[in-house]
Amino acid sequence: MSKVSILGLKLPTDPRWVNLAAISLQDILTDHAYCEQKAASSAISLIQRNPERERLVQELAPIVTEEWGHFRQVLAEMKKRGLPLGKQRKDDYVNALMDNRAKGGHPDDAFLDALLIFALIEARSCERFRLLSEGLEDEYLREFYRRFMISEAGHYRLFIDLANEYFPEEKVRKRWEEWLKMEAEILKNIEVRGDRMH
């Protein structure tokens, strides 16, 4: 069974991506840094919007710290290599996911979609980090990204577990399958670029 199918993803990343990323190392590190920053901010927002959901608050509070720590790790790696943090870029992948959220209807549907979108982003990040950990020539960076891969896999599972905490498992499974198909279509329509983590 492939790593992609273990994560549930329907479409593997184009194999050219890791080679393009290796060429655009400064850009991919910059984009990675901002992805970690946005992950911390998103977890904070989810807590702020759902303070009554005790397990969510307790589980996501340490994730905020961890994601911000990842941002700092990437910054430190860039500084070590003499690379400045560039400007944040538009994230076409995440924006496309957000465009497919449930709109109108019951607020719980939007909450479920939020959890599953975060799970998808973590799953795709995990897959990309694995590719970097196996495909980069720089041995130190391979290990650097292997550690990130392990972390993202845990986050992906956490968001799925939280969805199953607050919704019937059958509802979660059905919506997750819908999201996996949407994510694959989104990926098909996004240009393969080495300066983007997604």
Side-chain angles (χ1 to χ4, degrees):
M1 183 179 282
S2 73
K3 300 288 196 308
V4 171
S5 58
I6 289 167
L7 291 165
L9 300 171
K10 301 288 187 191
L11 184 70
T13 289
D14 188 310
R16 294 173 298 168
W17 176 78
V18 72
N19 298 321
L20 293 170
I23 294 166
S24 310
L25 194 56
Q26 179 176 345
D27 291 329
I28 203 72
L29 285 167
T30 286
D31 200 57
H32 178 191
Y34 284 118
C35 285
E36 299 292 356
Q37 186 190 73
K38 284 180 279 191
S41 300
S42 295
I44 291 169
S45 294
L46 208 51
I47 290 169
Q48 290 170 332
R49 292 196 304 271
N50 300 277
E52 75 286 358
R53 299 184 192 271
E54 185 176 349
R55 183 181 171 197
L56 179 139
V57 173
Q58 294 301 318
E59 296 276 15
L60 289 190
I63 297 294
V64 173
T65 307
E66 187 178 345
E67 300 286 24
W68 193 253
H70 289 170
F71 172 67
R72 294 182 64 194
Q73 285 176 45
V74 180
L75 275 186
E77 186 61 27
M78 295 187 78
K79 184 177 180 182
K80 187 179 87 178
R81 293 168 180 270
L83 302 173
L85 178 67
K87 289 187 178 180
Q88 184 172 333
R89 300 172 185 86
K90 190 171 87 166
D91 194 328
D92 293 329
Y93 171 79
V94 172
N95 290 340
L97 289 175
M98 294 298 187
D99 287 343
N100 282 279
R101 287 175 298 180
K103 297 174 180 72
H106 198 281
D108 277 356
D109 292 334
F111 174 57
L112 174 58
D113 273 0
L115 293 173
L116 296 182
I117 286 170
F118 289 139
L120 264 178
I121 293 168
E122 298 286 0
R124 183 58 68 183
S125 296
C126 178
E127 188 232 10
R128 296 269 164 116
F129 291 152
R130 180 184 64 81
L131 292 174
L132 292 171
S133 76
E134 294 173 354
L136 292 175
E137 288 186 15
D138 185 313
E139 187 175 341
Y140 180 86
L141 274 184
R142 287 203 304 271
E143 179 58 26
F144 182 75
Y145 276 110
R146 192 186 70 81
R147 292 194 301 271
F148 278 109
M149 174 192 73
I150 293 166
S151 175
E152 301 300 278
H155 296 171
Y156 147 73
R157 275 299 340 155
L158 172 60
F159 283 113
I160 295 291
D161 289 347
L162 286 171
N164 286 319
E165 169 90 6
Y166 295 111
F167 298 94
E169 286 193 18
E170 179 57 27
K171 179 174 181 170
V172 173
R173 188 195 62 74
K174 184 181 177 199
R175 186 58 173 158
W176 179 239
E177 281 298 317
E178 292 170 358
W179 270 113
L180 288 170
K181 289 172 186 168
M182 286 189 281
E183 196 261 0
E185 284 302 312
I186 286 166
L187 209 63
K188 278 181 196 171
N189 292 304
I190 292 178
E191 179 188 2
V192 179
R193 297 180 57 164
D195 60 348
R196 298 285 192 278
M197 188 53 72
H198 301 115

